[in-house]
Amino acid sequence: MRRGGVAVAAAFAMVGAMGMAAPAAHAAGAEIGANLPLLTSPFWQAYNNYLPQYAKKLGLNMLTPVNSNGDPAQQITDINNLLNQGVKGIVTGPLDSAAISRALDAAAAKNVPVVAVDVAPTQGKVAMVVRADNRAYGEKACKYIGDHVSSGKVVQIMGDLASVNGRDRSEAFRSCVKDHYPKLKVLEIPAAWKGDVAASALDSLLTANPDVKGIYMQAGGVYLSPTLQTLRRKHLLFKAGDPKHIVIVSNDGIPQEFDAIRKGEIDATVSQPADSYAKYGLWYMKETLAGKTFKPGPTDHDSTIIQLAPGILEDELPAPLVTKANVDDKNLWGNTLK
């Protein structure tokens, strides 16, 4: 989607050493605030569990994360509450790419840096956006489905279009199908990251279109279970290899998706790096508080910092496609959870 150029500095080489260093300050008021978009998804539950682990390794004094429960207005309130508590920095996963600017402006007014994780804001100041290339999610799903379905109807169950993530995945999938797989017809379900909305709409869609050949779920954490339950109820859940099998690609990389791939219920997922989101979200916060700045270019952790817009940089972390061929790879975070 967007690519950058020049080398990023040797600051990244300090990560390992800094992970073992003693915290610079643990005094009252020196805490880092963390804001979660929601906790109903296994993906965000995993991210939440990684946060204290990496905070400890990096020597950061982090407050207990605050959950905004999928409500953009509540998220702004939560961030303002953290600012009123005197936190020195905030790591947040924006729910609404535009609305979050109100919270970012409030933080900037108090000179409190913010690192955005998973979702990029469309305006406002952040020290860094830690995210994967979400257009690549849609493109990878399109190519997998297109290579396995010669013609017919395919469904994309979309995320919240108020989020740049939902827009990027939707537009990329739609464009890829149009440009490369003209024999496929895309049917769309705007589900706003809500499993019940996805299930109800998919049920109605399948009643009218029982000949669907493929499904792209933009968030396995919230859509996997209701999608499989709906297909089972409609007697349309056939394992991979069966001529009646509906090819399904997901996003997230949670253990439940890996199990579904092993069972042949779904075919692939894009592993969104929950562990790296937590690790580098906190690492950029620590570096920012130490006075470090960043610029576009390659990092030492297999990613690239790009410029999204003037003043907004994003570290695009790798997010591999997972299929039956590599689902047992021990390097995938979804295989490391206990």
Side-chain angles (χ1 to χ4, degrees):
M1 168 172 67
R2 308 157 289 250
R3 293 292 180 267
V6 204
V8 75
F12 287 93
M14 301 166 58
V15 178
M18 293 180 74
M20 299 178 66
H26 271 4
E31 296 93 349
I32 302 301
N35 169 254
L36 305 169
L38 50 89
L39 271 177
T40 52
S41 162
F43 175 83
W44 286 109
Q45 292 165 11
Y47 169 81
N48 184 42
N49 290 335
Y50 282 122
L51 280 174
Q53 299 176 36
Y54 286 113
K56 183 177 181 180
K57 288 179 181 179
L58 291 165
L60 290 173
N61 188 11
M62 187 185 74
L63 297 177
T64 301
V66 180
N67 173 24
S68 297
N69 202 28
D71 184 343
Q74 182 62 46
Q75 184 168 60
I76 294 168
T77 299
D78 290 340
I79 291 175
N80 280 323
N81 288 340
L82 289 171
L83 292 171
N84 290 334
Q85 290 178 54
V87 296
K88 299 303 181 184
I90 296 174
V91 178
T92 184
L95 282 159
D96 185 307
S97 294
I100 195 68
S101 65
R102 291 170 53 195
L104 298 179
D105 290 346
K110 294 191 174 185
N111 295 313
V112 174
V114 177
V115 172
V117 171
D118 180 59
V119 175
T122 52
Q123 53 189 333
K125 182 180 179 181
V126 289
M128 181 64 70
V129 178
V130 177
R131 182 173 174 251
D133 184 348
N134 277 245
R135 288 194 65 86
Y137 293 5
E139 290 165 359
K140 289 176 182 179
C142 159
K143 290 176 181 176
Y144 189 95
I145 291 174
D147 289 347
H148 291 82
V149 178
S150 59
S151 63
K153 301 170 185 175
V154 297
V155 179
Q156 70 160 332
I157 304 176
M158 301 185 291
D160 192 340
L161 299 181
S163 159
V164 68
N165 285 12
R167 295 197 298 270
D168 280 356
R169 298 177 200 187
S170 300
E171 291 169 3
F173 184 82
R174 193 183 300 130
S175 297
C176 172
V177 170
K178 180 180 178 181
D179 293 343
H180 301 288
Y181 304 98
K183 292 184 179 180
L184 297 182
K185 178 182 180 181
V186 179
L187 307 176
E188 298 185 334
I189 295 174
W193 313 126
K194 296 177 181 177
D196 57 342
V197 173
S200 176
L202 182 61
D203 187 281
S204 298
L205 186 149
L206 291 172
T207 297
N209 302 274
D211 54 343
V212 162
K213 301 290 182 63
I215 297 175
Y216 168 39
M217 302 182 295
Q218 290 187 8
V222 289
Y223 297 152
L224 176 67
S225 179
T227 295
L228 293 181
Q229 288 173 5
T230 301
L231 291 174
R232 209 172 272 117
R233 188 171 61 254
K234 307 286 283 188
H235 305 292
L236 291 172
L237 185 61
F238 299 93
K239 291 187 176 181
D242 189 300
K244 297 179 182 178
H245 173 68
I246 295 174
V247 176
I248 302 175
V249 180
S250 188
N251 286 165
D252 272 350
I254 58 175
Q256 293 90 332
E257 288 172 309
F258 290 0
D259 287 343
I261 290 172
R262 294 182 184 105
K263 293 175 182 176
E265 293 175 335
I266 73 171
D267 300 81
T269 187
V270 178
S271 180
Q272 220 182 173
D275 54 346
S276 293
Y277 280 1
K279 177 179 180 179
Y280 291 107
L282 291 170
W283 184 82
Y284 278 110
M285 178 53 63
K286 180 168 185 174
E287 291 290 271
T288 298
L289 291 173
K292 300 291 177 60
T293 57
F294 312 95
K295 59 184 179 180
T299 72
D300 73 344
H301 50 271
D302 194 28
S303 67
T304 301
I305 295 177
I306 63 169
Q307 182 170 293
L308 290 179
I312 299 181
L313 297 177
E314 172 176 295
D315 186 354
E316 280 196 346
L317 301 175
L321 183 72
V322 181
T323 67
K324 194 170 183 178
N326 64 337
V327 70
D328 294 320
D329 185 342
K330 298 188 186 307
N331 293 315
L332 296 168
W333 70 266
N335 285 327
T336 65
L337 298 180
K338 296 181 180 179

